[in-house]
Amino acid sequence: MMFVRKNKEKIGLGYGIAVSLSAIFFAYLFCSSLVSFLPGDYAQRIVPMMIATPVATSIFGIWFLLSKNNFELVIKTAAISVASFLLFAIGYLF
Amino acid sequence: MKLSKYNFRFLTRAHVVVGLFAVFLFYIATFFGSITMFAPYIKIWESPSRHFDISDKNNSGIDLDAVLKNVIAANNLPTKNIEITFPSYRDNALKVSVENQAVIYVNPNNGSILHTSDESYTVSSFLNELHTGANIPMVGMPLMGLASTAMIFLSIGGVMLFLSARRKAAEKKDRLWWHKYLGLWLLPYIVVFTFTGAFLGLMLSSSSPFALGATNFEESNMRKLVAPIIFKKKMEPKESNSTHDALSIADLKQKASIQYPNLHITTVNLYAYNKDNYEAMFSGYLGDNQSISGRNNRMSITLNGINGDVVKKVHIEDSHIIKRALSAFYFLHFLPDQGAEWRIAFFVFGIVMAICLIAGYLVWSDRKLRSDGIFHHILNKIAIAFFIGVLPATAVLFASNWILRFDMYDRDIWIKGAFYATWAFVLFYAFLEASILNAIRKYLLWFAVLMSSAVLMHAAKNGYFLSGVNIANMSDTVFFVDAGMLLSSLLAMLAYVFIGRFKYIKQYEQRSLEAW
């Protein structure tokens, strides 16, 4: 647990690649969950989210990068996962 | 908003690493994209059949119906749905097309059918392929889209770094200064091109999660869901065998212009041409709302071909909101109906963007010169071949259009092959030549020689050399493309002569030779 909570002093290539891939994955997850939740026809729901995903990727990437330690990073990814799951569930049920 | 010391460091490092991945791809996209701004003119330049000026911009000089009847008879065309694209700056020929049939081009000055079977837009379409990454099957376009996404990250991160950085009262105008301030000034340009680039390159090829999300995991094909909504197909009238006297296309066009005054007509679809249920749909863009009536959201008016009554009129508010949004979204990327002024302005922005990217690379490279890592030296050579070496390869592309015969078998493969072979040689030469300055000067010289050779060969092949009359009759578009190419050769020659005098280049050269 110490490793997870230890403050980062530098970022390596591995960490950078992991953050980049996570940002892409969570941006797709979050934006596609929003698609299931939004009102309107398929075009109104899908196209805006497709435009927003690259921006979300960049914002998530910076947000993940600026984590003090790995624990904060885990909390952030968990928060997006829970939010996405809730949006999917609401979209599916209603 | 100020970043903490650590966060500033993390973001700077991420900016460098992501920047090194994106800089080469985005440079290629920017370089070829800037040239592609002139693609409509290059298309005319590379096709001998289009080397004429349109004598009458309104095409009222020729009898369109007589031309069309001639084309239908000569090619045995069905009359269910004939599309005529009127001449414009994009193509000075009149284009007649029918679904699943070869397109026929007509000279609008005299109504003669143009012989285009040996012609293809190899140069302009290949430049566009290089811009979009379509030249690399499967991965090219997503990779370019990923580079655009990385550019969005770099822009947001760059602004955050700029706002958090401590600045001295008088900043030295070094590579970092140029990279920072050019990048900031170009932010609107970057936003337009990275958003559209990421959407077209990456998102369209990876849209399954959105389709699955929208359909509760039942359908993964986004196009199947969206296309029927925004690209509704017009209900075509049924085929009829009974012919009927109808109004001429010119009269119908005039009536359409009166009924829809701000519609700039670019195309007409003739449904059941000269039959008793004949309808003509005139479509185009709105003079007072060009961005929303762009290429994928054309406004239209449909007239009854027999009596000219209005059957249907499509206004902006009739089109789907996403269609309007996409039209506006694509507008500044594609400039669908904009002429030379807009294109020159965007070309200049593109060149400034390319300089900003090179300055960004030099910020990193400059620091690495002090350490003699082999990775850095290899990357430096690749960078020269990418940034400057692409110039002679592009010039070969233009020259080979006029070196190779038009009826040559697999002509486009030879032209593309010549481009890749030159680029590969340029990379080889970068490793062969220890002096960076010498390599850059050679590339500039090759570019100047090859580009002016392309103009000379074009002139020789079309007889402009041999006859003063031919030069006087030269099409304006062809003349300006030739002049632009000669101007680029001249600028390259000037750079070849004066580049060694720049203090920074000399210092960089010295340090790189010491490190080599």
Side-chain angles (χ1 to χ4, degrees):
Chain A
M1 282 304 285
M2 282 296 287
F3 163 73
V4 176
R5 284 183 174 275
K6 193 182 166 197
N7 281 2
K8 299 196 305 277
E9 287 179 3
K10 62 174 187 173
I11 49 167
L13 202 60
Y15 183 85
I17 292 169
V19 163
S20 304
L21 294 178
S22 310
I24 294 170
F25 173 77
F26 284 105
Y28 269 87
L29 181 73
F30 185 69
C31 291
S32 54
S33 70
L34 270 176
V35 167
S36 68
F37 179 72
L38 287 172
D41 58 30
Y42 286 134
Q44 284 167 318
R45 289 157 68 192
I46 292 174
V47 176
M49 283 303 111
M50 282 173 68
I51 295 171
T53 303
V55 186
T57 304
S58 307
I59 291 170
F60 284 172
I62 292 172
W63 193 42
F64 292 163
L65 194 74
L66 303 185
S67 305
K68 275 186 206 139
N69 49 43
N70 291 339
F71 181 69
E72 200 179 306
L73 182 66
V74 171
I75 293 290
K76 285 174 180 175
T77 52
I80 298 171
S81 304
V82 170
S84 305
F85 176 76
L86 285 174
L87 288 170
F88 268 128
I90 294 168
Y92 190 79
L93 293 173
F94 302 102
Chain B
M1 181 198 63
K2 283 263 175 194
L3 291 168
S4 69
K5 192 177 124 195
Y6 279 121
N7 280 344
F8 187 85
R9 230 171 65 191
F10 295 161
L11 199 55
T12 308
R13 182 150 163 74
H15 193 85
V16 171
V17 175
V18 176
L20 277 178
F21 158 75
V23 71
F24 294 106
L25 290 170
F26 208 75
Y27 181 86
I28 291 303
T30 307
F31 177 81
F32 289 110
S34 301
I35 303 176
T36 308
M37 282 287 159
F38 299 116
Y41 310 114
I42 297 171
K43 274 183 182 178
I44 292 174
W45 177 85
E46 66 176 310
S47 314
S49 68
R50 306 298 204 285
H51 286 190
F52 59 82
D53 276 327
I54 310 167
S55 54
D56 179 6
K57 301 275 181 203
N58 296 318
N59 320 115
S60 51
I62 57 163
D63 182 353
L64 276 174
D65 288 271
V67 169
L68 193 56
K69 277 170 190 159
N70 178 26
V71 169
I72 290 169
N75 298 279
N76 200 19
L77 295 181
T79 55
K80 195 178 170 193
N81 178 6
I82 301 170
E83 186 173 284
I84 299 177
T85 307
F86 294 106
S88 67
Y89 75 92
R90 287 187 166 272
D91 190 350
N92 44 16
L94 186 86
K95 182 178 158 193
V96 180
S97 49
V98 173
E99 208 174 33
N100 302 327
Q101 297 254 2
V103 179
I104 296 132
Y105 296 95
V106 176
N107 185 332
N109 297 328
N110 53 23
S112 62
I113 294 173
L114 297 171
H115 298 287
T116 57
S117 55
D118 287 333
E119 286 179 14
S120 59
Y121 301 127
T122 307
V123 177
S124 49
S125 55
F126 186 53
L127 286 170
N128 191 44
E129 278 178 28
L130 290 161
H131 163 61
T132 58
N135 58 321
I136 309 169
M138 304 286 282
V139 292
M141 283 181 85
L143 212 57
M144 285 298 188
L146 212 56
S148 294
T149 308
M151 283 304 294
I152 298 173
F153 170 85
L154 293 169
S155 304
I156 299 173
V159 171
M160 286 171 76
L161 288 173
F162 178 79
L163 294 174
S164 300
R166 283 188 219 127
R167 276 180 292 280
K168 292 166 197 162
E171 281 189 69
K172 202 177 143 196
K173 284 190 181 175
D174 58 3
R175 272 71 56 210
L176 186 59
W177 189 94
W178 284 105
H179 179 63
K180 256 189 330 193
Y181 286 96
L182 286 182
L184 283 170
W185 290 329
L186 284 171
L187 257 184
Y189 171 91
I190 296 170
V191 167
V192 167
F193 284 90
T194 52
F195 277 43
T196 43
F199 179 75
L200 293 164
L202 183 64
M203 301 315 298
L204 287 181
S205 56
S206 59
S207 55
S208 297
F210 305 97
L212 289 168
T215 57
N216 292 332
F217 300 93
E218 282 169 10
E219 176 59 61
S220 61
N221 189 337
M222 181 274 296
R223 282 181 177 83
K224 234 179 188 175
L225 301 173
V226 175
I229 300 169
I230 59 174
F231 301 116
K232 281 180 190 155
K233 220 179 162 194
K234 187 192 179 299
M235 291 292 285
E236 292 173 10
K238 283 180 184 166
E239 191 72 90
S240 166
N241 288 327
S242 54
T243 53
H244 201 290
D245 283 341
L247 293 173
S248 70
I249 298 171
D251 286 344
L252 287 167
K253 192 180 175 192
Q254 200 181 6
K255 278 183 186 287
S257 299
I258 293 165
Q259 295 288 343
Y260 211 149
N262 56 343
L263 182 73
H264 290 248
I265 296 167
T266 55
T267 312
V268 59
N269 283 75
L270 307 172
Y271 299 105
Y273 178 61
N274 277 353
K275 301 283 163 60
D276 54 1
N277 56 345
Y278 173 28
E279 283 180 4
M281 185 179 80
F282 292 90
S283 48
Y285 62 92
L286 300 181
D288 54 356
N289 214 336
Q290 294 189 28
S291 61
I292 295 182
S293 56
R295 206 162 49 179
N296 60 349
N297 190 33
R298 291 304 201 196
M299 299 298 110
S300 66
I301 180 167
T302 308
L303 302 181
N304 183 312
I306 311 295
N307 53 26
D309 288 348
V310 177
V311 177
K312 194 181 173 191
K313 203 170 165 182
V314 176
H315 296 278
I316 280 200
E317 52 273 21
D318 299 328
S319 61
H320 194 281
I321 186 166
I322 291 299
K323 223 173 157 185
R324 276 181 267 165
L326 280 178
S327 177
F329 183 62
Y330 288 149
F331 175 68
L332 287 174
H333 194 131
F334 291 112
L335 299 176
D337 305 298
Q338 276 49 50
E341 308 84 6
W342 281 74
R343 288 169 191 278
I344 291 169
F346 273 70
F347 176 78
V348 173
F349 286 142
I351 299 300
V352 178
M353 181 70 203
I355 294 169
C356 173
L357 292 171
I358 294 175
Y361 176 80
L362 285 174
V363 173
W364 174 82
S365 171
D366 227 9
R367 286 175 192 156
K368 288 284 167 183
L369 269 180
R370 290 172 196 115
S371 62
D372 56 351
I374 187 74
F375 170 72
H376 167 251
H377 284 298
I378 291 173
L379 201 63
N380 240 1
K381 299 290 181 189
I382 294 171
I384 297 164
F386 254 81
F387 295 148
I388 316 290
V390 72
L391 289 171
T394 308
V396 163
L397 193 62
F398 281 88
S400 54
N401 186 59
W402 298 106
I403 293 172
L404 302 173
R405 285 170 61 95
F406 277 89
D407 57 356
M408 186 178 172
Y409 182 68
D410 277 345
R411 183 174 184 271
D412 57 336
I413 292 176
W414 282 98
I415 292 179
K416 289 173 187 176
F419 170 85
Y420 288 126
T422 312
W423 210 0
F425 175 75
V426 157
L427 180 63
F428 165 75
Y429 188 78
F431 282 94
L432 195 72
E433 178 63 79
S435 160
I436 286 173
L437 183 61
N438 279 352
I440 293 174
R441 291 184 80 221
K442 287 270 165 54
Y443 296 160
L444 290 167
L445 181 67
W446 295 343
F447 171 77
V449 170
L450 286 163
M451 213 53 165
S452 38
S453 307
V455 175
L456 294 177
M457 277 180 280
H458 171 231
K461 213 151 184 177
N462 290 282
Y464 296 131
F465 267 156
L466 309 171
S467 153
V469 178
N470 280 353
I471 293 171
N473 290 336
M474 201 173 177
S475 147
D476 288 348
T477 307
V478 174
F479 173 78
F480 283 116
V481 173
D482 273 341
M485 287 166 68
L486 282 177
L487 182 68
S488 67
S489 306
L490 184 70
L491 290 174
M493 275 310 289
L494 287 173
Y496 168 76
V497 174
F498 293 109
I499 196 165
R501 297 190 190 181
F502 287 99
K503 197 176 150 196
Y504 168 69
I505 304 260
K506 273 200 266 188
Q507 285 172 351
Y508 190 92
E509 160 85 350
Q510 192 58 41
R511 277 182 292 155
S512 71
L513 280 173
E514 283 164 15
W516 180 244

